[in-house]
Amino acid sequence: RKSASACESAHVLPRCCHERPAAAMEGWLTKYGCGTLKAWRPRWCKLHRASLVLSEDAAGRHKRISLELLPCSHAVAFVDPGAPAQARRLARAMPFGFVLDINPQADDNARQVFYFDAADLRLLHRWISAISSAVGSWTLQLGDVVTVTRTMFSDSYPPAPLQEGQSGVILEFDDRGDAYIDMDCHTEYQWIRRHKFGDLQRVAESTEKPVALEVVPQNEIIMHWAVRVGTGKEARCYEFDADGVHVGRRTVLNKGYEMVTHPLEGTTSRSNYEIVDWCIEFNKNNSYAGTGEGVFGGKNCQDFAVALCNFLDLDVSQLPWRQANIVKTATAAGAVVATDAVLGTGILVTACEALGTGVATTAGVALAPQLLAAGAVVGSVGVVTAAMFGLTYDSNPSASAASSSLSSQSTASLEPVQRSRTGARRLIDVVPRMGRFRRRVRCIL
């Protein structure tokens, strides 16, 4: 048996190895329209394991249809004696066509039958062979939601009982094909050996799935973002941290704080297989950095959420502001307030006349008041530089007074000042103890 605790990080998507193989077959096919539109239209078709994805363009951006193959699915040429009567009629105009029957065992009203033309005999044989191979190797895949069809025990150590009807998300496969599953009824992930896959049933995905942003507090300041796609049993959580991209039923970074879920407007037609492929590519091309936005060569969880929502064709403007931007704005605003209050340059007043007085206050205080002290530290660097070179800036007394008034509105810690040396002394009371830097300021003054 396998130990679940020894494989806690096995659900992290791979960066370089064990990646999902490339599509078994892809290219242009002409598809016969269903319903009232009885016309032949070109479609870019991509066969990937047990899925055939149809798009209007090779990039897969417009009108995607995902056909999930079953163990009983089969494809035959129009001219085959076993083909449906409709296929034999279409063979007169399209001699290199084939018919794909998703579930021949279904009732007539529920059957899904699709007609394609491959344009030449060589491609016809290749497509039929590829589809037959995909059906023959039909199995569970990474990210699939499965339901237990018969009560059994898991193959983890110690073994856990799995009741009929319980569900979970497949997180990983090992070299022998055994599955590591996040079950909804157990706190620890469970191993299921391959020979028991017959007791698991894959839950079909909805064509259109809702998306929500989960904000997971890590402490009083830092917020982790995760993206949840789907609802109920088919829901999956996608997130990014220092270990890489995670896919599962729930976030792996729950620190016990109250999470906030923001339902996003719009739905996505992207299948789990497409999302997992995108996540693997993101995982391979990006390293993790807490600062995010590629500032130090990496991305963080919030950058991942924005990029994923963009891939899901959602409007990313409805997402909250990333904390990396908040930190930059608040720190910069704090630095401007501190420096302007001391030197009396009137820079902040001039900027507020152009942008509106509330901009600096909102950016520096309302968005992140706890970061204004950092801005004051940055601003104090300018104070020390000015003091060292004996710089004063009292040529604009009206601007100095207005700037000092605005700084007092932004933070109660900064008093109105009229001379740079007096302002620098007051700033020392605001800046926290900084060892040598603080003593250096005193010596200069």
Side-chain angles (χ1 to χ4, degrees):
R1 298 184 186 276
K2 303 182 181 183
S3 172
S5 59
C7 303
E8 291 179 352
S9 61
H11 60 291
V12 180
L13 293 185
R15 278 200 165 91
C16 299
C17 60
H18 300 105
E19 294 180 15
R20 177 172 291 171
M25 185 81 179
E26 59 183 337
W28 288 103
L29 291 173
T30 307
K31 177 180 175 295
Y32 188 64
C34 302
T36 58
L37 300 177
K38 303 295 185 180
W40 292 93
R41 299 181 184 277
R43 292 290 183 266
W44 180 264
C45 301
K46 181 178 180 180
L47 180 62
H48 191 283
R49 286 194 176 178
S51 299
L52 180 64
V53 180
L54 282 61
S55 308
E56 290 187 350
D57 62 326
R61 297 182 181 275
H62 303 290
K63 280 197 175 181
R64 292 174 302 276
I65 300 175
S66 181
L67 306 180
E68 303 294 330
L69 303 180
L70 301 176
C72 57
S73 301
H74 74 274
V76 296
F78 284 172
V79 296
D80 190 284
Q86 174 71 359
R88 292 196 296 271
R89 287 193 293 268
L90 294 174
R92 301 168 188 171
M94 300 291 185
F96 303 114
F98 65 93
V99 56
L100 173 61
D101 194 343
I102 300 296
N103 188 2
Q105 303 171 0
D107 297 334
D108 292 340
N109 294 332
R111 287 185 67 175
Q112 293 179 290
V113 182
F114 301 90
Y115 302 92
F116 299 93
D117 177 58
D120 61 57
L121 185 61
R122 180 182 62 87
L123 286 177
L124 170 62
H125 289 162
R126 287 188 60 191
W127 274 105
I128 292 179
S129 176
I131 292 175
S132 299
S133 298
V135 171
S137 60
W138 186 88
T139 185
L140 299 175
Q141 302 182 45
L142 180 68
D144 277 345
V145 177
V146 294
T147 300
V148 179
T149 60
R150 184 175 63 88
T151 300
M152 60 179 177
F153 282 90
S154 70
D155 294 296
S156 298
Y157 182 80
L162 302 178
Q163 303 297 327
E164 180 179 351
Q166 294 175 345
S167 62
V169 176
I170 296 179
L171 306 177
E172 187 61 274
F173 292 99
D174 66 5
D175 295 336
R176 293 183 293 182
D178 300 338
Y180 195 46
I181 304 179
D182 179 7
M183 300 298 298
D184 57 4
C185 53
H186 295 280
T187 56
E188 291 187 347
Y189 305 140
Q190 302 297 321
W191 280 104
I192 302 294
R193 295 194 184 277
R194 186 180 180 87
H195 70 272
K196 293 184 178 179
F197 285 3
D199 297 325
L200 301 175
Q201 181 178 6
R202 183 170 57 180
V203 177
E205 288 189 70
S206 302
T207 305
E208 296 290 334
K209 297 176 282 293
V211 182
L213 175 70
E214 293 185 346
V215 179
V216 187
Q218 303 300 290
N219 49 44
E220 298 296 335
I221 300 176
I222 304 301
M223 301 295 163
H224 173 75
W225 287 7
V227 177
R228 180 169 295 278
V229 179
T231 57
K233 289 185 177 181
E234 67 169 332
R236 300 171 180 86
C237 181
Y238 304 88
E239 57 191 334
F240 183 54
D241 67 1
D243 294 327
V245 177
H246 301 258
V247 180
R249 295 188 63 85
R250 52 189 178 269
T251 177
V252 297
L253 292 175
N254 188 351
K255 304 296 184 180
Y257 294 91
E258 183 179 357
M259 294 190 299
V260 179
T261 301
H262 299 280
L264 302 179
E265 295 183 1
T267 58
T268 182
S269 58
R270 298 278 189 182
S271 67
N272 169 66
Y273 307 136
E274 293 178 283
I275 300 175
V276 169
D277 280 339
W278 180 90
C279 289
I280 290 176
E281 194 67 21
F282 183 94
N283 209 32
K284 184 170 60 176
N285 297 332
N286 296 279
S287 59
Y288 182 84
T291 53
E293 293 194 295
V295 176
F296 294 105
K299 301 292 184 69
N300 62 15
C301 61
Q302 299 181 0
D303 299 327
F304 169 81
V306 173
L308 177 55
C309 288
N310 192 34
F311 173 75
L312 298 177
D313 301 322
L314 298 176
D315 181 11
V316 297
S317 64
Q318 60 184 310
L319 296 175
W321 218 22
R322 279 176 277 187
Q323 283 190 306
N325 291 334
I326 295 176
V327 171
K328 293 174 186 176
T329 303
T331 304
V336 171
V337 169
T339 305
D340 188 66
V342 172
L343 300 181
T345 60
I347 296 175
L348 189 60
V349 174
T350 304
C352 288
E353 288 177 354
L355 300 176
T357 305
V359 173
T361 304
T362 302
V365 181
L367 285 176
Q370 67 276 16
L371 298 169
L372 189 59
V377 174
V378 176
S380 65
V381 175
V383 175
V384 175
T385 304
M388 289 177 65
F389 290 95
L391 298 178
T392 57
Y393 227 90
D394 293 331
S395 58
N396 189 355
S398 62
S400 175
S403 176
S404 300
S405 175
L406 179 58
S407 65
S408 65
Q409 295 175 10
S410 301
T411 172
S413 302
L414 295 179
E415 298 287 344
V417 296
Q418 296 183 0
R419 296 186 59 84
S420 61
R421 297 172 69 85
T422 303
R425 289 193 181 93
R426 291 183 179 276
L427 186 60
I428 289 178
D429 298 332
V430 179
V431 179
R433 285 189 175 274
M434 295 182 293
R436 295 180 180 178
F437 179 70
R438 180 183 173 92
R439 292 194 294 273
R440 176 60 176 164
V441 173
R442 288 192 179 278
C443 292
I444 293 173
L445 298 177

